[in-house]
């Protein structure tokens, strides 16, 4: 009997693991279809409170949806136009920046040769080609470009979602056996995601503005592009701000010199320390209940699975999994592993007091 139970357990683990890999393979294959849908879902989650607020002022739902979508489309197209024009101009200036870099490397190799360190400027230029750094920025933004290609599909999906949002709780009520508990879970998830995205958006906008002003003060080319870059990548936890700083600092070294580039790098560090360690935690708090390690690993996982958009949505997507595990007896332990230390301590204290 014991062998039979053990065999059954092993078969269950094997089948579950195989099912997970099959699902992940399916998601990876269908990423081009899933990414617009996921973006539509989260845009609808963000826009729905605005539509609901408009209804309090007796504004018809159709008009409020059109206004909200109009604002979103205007902002999206403006950013896309700015990024596209700046990248085109930047690509035309790459040969000029490469010549400036070659001159600086000539000075560096001459300085090193005084200490019998022989380095070829051609080799340095090969490894530190500015086209590579700028190509990295273009590749990061290409993920957003592919999204803009599906902009009409995304907008249409968001519109339908906003119109269906009010009837969704009623559908859940009839579809589930325990609708009250499930509705509370859905409401808690929506509140968490709305709170996170709202605070993150405000902080990201402030970061982009401050970065643009700083780079404009230094006289760096395409300061608006790097501000938009900082705004977008600030949604990526932990490493987004670092990636956003690299192209601007490299361009500053080519255009303005190493000294100014160093000051710009320090400026990025100061901005991210203030925004990420002071302002954002003050308003965001620990409401997500995810550990820092989980946030970082989810960034890598969802980025691999869904690309650049997956990196941006890594935290909300992980929140969906965590809430699902919390309400499943078999997955409860996974929810605990995803939680931060403060959440685990609070749950332990509740268990002890009970």
């Amino acid at each position: 009997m014991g062998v039979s139970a053990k065999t059954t357990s092993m078969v269950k683990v094997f089948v579950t693991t195989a099912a997970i890999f099959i699902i992940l393979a399916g998601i990876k294959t269908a990423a081009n279809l899933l990414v617009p849908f996921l973006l539509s879902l989260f845009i609808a989650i963000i826009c729905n409170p605005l539509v609901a607020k408009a209804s309090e002022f007796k504004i018809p739902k159709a008009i409020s949806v059109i206004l909200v979508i109009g604002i979103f489309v205007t902002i999206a197209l403006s950013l896309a136009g700015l990024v596209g024009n700046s990248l085109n101009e930047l690509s035309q200036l790459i040969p000029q920046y490469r010549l400036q870099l070659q001159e600086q490397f000539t000075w560096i190799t001459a300085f090193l040769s005084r200490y019998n360190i022989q380095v070829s400027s051609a080799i340095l230029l090969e490894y530190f080609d500015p086209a590579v750094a700028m190509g990295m920025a273009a590749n990061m933004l290409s993920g957003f470009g592919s999204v803009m290609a599906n902009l009409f599909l995304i907008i249409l999906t968001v519109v339908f979602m906003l119109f269906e949002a009010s009837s969704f709780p009623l559908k859940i009520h009839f579809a589930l056996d325990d609708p009250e508990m499930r509705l509370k879970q859905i409401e808690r998830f929506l509140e968490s995601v709305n709170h996170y995205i709202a605070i993150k958006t405000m902080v990201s906008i402030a970061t982009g503005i401050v970065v643009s002003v700083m780079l404009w003060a230094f006289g760096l080319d395409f300061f608006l592009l790097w501000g938009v870059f900082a705004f977008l990548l600030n949604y990526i936890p932990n490493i987004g701000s670092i990636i956003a700083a690299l192209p601007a600092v490299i361009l500053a070294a080519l255009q303005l010199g190493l000294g100014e580039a160093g000051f710009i790098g320090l400026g990025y560090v100061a901005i991210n320390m203030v925004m990420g360690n002071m302002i954002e935690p003050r308003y965001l708090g620990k409401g997500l209940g995810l550990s820092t390690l989980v946030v970082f690993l989810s960034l890598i996982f969802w980025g691999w699975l869904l690309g650049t958009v997956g990196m941006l949505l890594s935290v909300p997507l992980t929140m969906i999994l965590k809430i699902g595990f919390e309400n499943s007896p078999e997955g409860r332990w996974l929810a605990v592993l995803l939680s931060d230390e403060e959440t685990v301590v609070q749950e332990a204290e509740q268990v002890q007091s009970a």
Side-chain angles (χ1 to χ4, degrees), residues 14 26 90 104 130 147 151 176 199 212 239 274 293 352:
F14 176 78
L90 184 60
Q104 294 188 13
V147 171
L151 183 60
L176 301 176
I199 298 300
S212 296
I239 66 172
V274 172
L293 176 61
Q352 292 177 357

Side-chain angles (χ1 to χ4, degrees), residues 211-258:
V211 165
S212 296
V213 171
M214 177 188 70
L215 299 181
W216 169 79
F218 276 97
L220 187 67
D221 292 341
F222 310 108
F223 58 90
L224 288 178
L225 173 64
W226 308 128
V228 173
F229 203 51
F231 159 70
L232 293 174
L233 293 187
N234 195 62
Y235 283 96
I236 300 178
N238 301 320
I239 66 172
S241 56
I242 300 175
I243 299 175
L246 287 177
V249 172
I250 294 174
L251 179 61
L254 299 177
Q255 179 190 343
L256 305 175
L258 296 177

Side-chain angles (χ1 to χ4, degrees), residues 32-89:
N32 292 334
L33 179 64
L34 287 175
V35 165
F37 173 77
L38 288 174
L39 271 178
S40 302
L41 176 61
F42 285 100
I43 292 172
I45 291 174
I46 298 171
C47 294
N48 188 57
L50 298 177
V51 176
K53 192 69 176 178
S55 64
E56 297 179 3
F57 296 94
K58 307 301 181 181
I59 299 177
K61 191 168 188 177
I63 296 178
S64 60
V65 169
I66 292 174
L67 289 176
V68 171
I69 294 299
I71 294 173
F72 167 76
V73 171
T74 301
I75 295 174
L77 293 179
S78 299
L79 291 179
L82 171 64
V83 170
N85 293 333
S86 298
L87 287 178
N88 289 334
E89 295 179 16

Side-chain angles (χ1 to χ4, degrees), residues 2 24 28 31-32 48 60 66 114 155 164 173 196 204 215 222 234 241 245 259 264 279 292 315-316 330 337 347:
L24 291 179
K28 182 74 173 176
N32 292 334
N48 188 57
I66 292 174
R114 300 177 186 176
I155 293 172
E164 293 284 335
H173 179 79
Y196 171 79
S204 299
L215 299 181
F222 310 108
N234 195 62
S241 56
I264 288 177
I279 296 178
T292 305
V315 172
E330 296 82 4
L337 292 179
E347 292 184 358

Side-chain angles (χ1 to χ4, degrees), residues 16-303:
T16 302
T17 304
I20 291 174
F21 276 99
I22 292 172
I23 292 172
L24 291 179
I27 293 175
K28 182 74 173 176
T29 304
N32 292 334
L33 179 64
L34 287 175
V35 165
F37 173 77
L38 288 174
L39 271 178
S40 302
L41 176 61
F42 285 100
I43 292 172
I45 291 174
I46 298 171
C47 294
N48 188 57
L50 298 177
V51 176
K53 192 69 176 178
S55 64
E56 297 179 3
F57 296 94
K58 307 301 181 181
I59 299 177
K61 191 168 188 177
I63 296 178
S64 60
V65 169
I66 292 174
L67 289 176
V68 171
I69 294 299
I71 294 173
F72 167 76
V73 171
T74 301
I75 295 174
L77 293 179
S78 299
L79 291 179
L82 171 64
V83 170
N85 293 333
S86 298
L87 287 178
N88 289 334
E89 295 179 16
L90 184 60
S91 63
Q92 296 175 3
L93 293 175
I94 287 294
Q96 177 182 340
Y97 292 139
R98 186 181 284 112
L99 291 175
Q100 295 176 357
L101 185 62
Q102 187 173 4
E103 294 176 359
Q104 294 188 13
F105 280 157
T106 301
W107 176 83
I108 292 174
T109 54
F111 176 79
L112 293 176
S113 63
R114 300 177 186 176
Y115 300 93
N116 295 324
I117 302 176
Q118 303 298 327
V119 180
S120 173
S121 59
I123 295 177
L124 290 176
L125 186 62
E126 180 180 352
Y127 283 100
F128 296 95
D129 192 341
V132 175
M134 302 310 164
M136 179 187 68
N139 290 334
M140 290 295 298
L141 292 171
S142 66
F144 304 104
S146 62
V147 171
M148 295 302 296
N150 297 314
L151 183 60
F152 178 75
L153 175 62
I154 293 174
I155 293 172
L156 198 60
T157 307
V158 171
V159 170
F160 285 122
M161 286 182 175
L162 290 177
F163 278 112
E164 293 284 335
S166 58
S167 62
F168 186 70
L170 184 62
K171 294 179 180 179
I172 294 292
H173 179 79
F174 287 104
L176 301 176
D177 296 331
D178 191 2
E180 291 185 2
M181 186 175 67
R182 298 296 176 88
L183 284 176
K184 289 180 180 178
Q185 297 166 7
I186 294 173
E187 289 175 0
R188 184 159 62 90
F189 163 71
L190 293 178
E191 289 177 0
S192 299
V193 173
N194 274 326
H195 179 67
Y196 171 79
I197 295 181
I199 298 300
K200 198 69 175 177
T201 299
M202 293 297 102
V203 174
S204 299
I205 291 174
T207 301
I209 292 174
V210 174
V211 165
S212 296
V213 171
M214 177 188 70
L215 299 181
W216 169 79
F218 276 97
L220 187 67
D221 292 341
F222 310 108
F223 58 90
L224 288 178
L225 173 64
W226 308 128
V228 173
F229 203 51
F231 159 70
L232 293 174
L233 293 187
N234 195 62
Y235 283 96
I236 300 178
N238 301 320
I239 66 172
S241 56
I242 300 175
I243 299 175
L246 287 177
V249 172
I250 294 174
L251 179 61
L254 299 177
Q255 179 190 343
L256 305 175
L258 296 177
E260 288 80 357
F263 282 113
I264 288 177
L266 292 176
Y268 267 100
V269 172
I271 292 171
N272 291 318
M273 286 184 63
V274 172
M275 296 295 180
N277 298 327
M278 297 175 61
I279 296 178
E280 186 173 311
R282 178 179 179 182
Y283 295 99
L284 193 59
K286 296 288 185 178
L288 295 175
L290 296 175
S291 71
T292 305
L293 176 61
V294 169
V295 170
F296 180 72
L297 293 178
S298 68
L299 169 70
I300 298 174
F301 173 75
W302 292 112

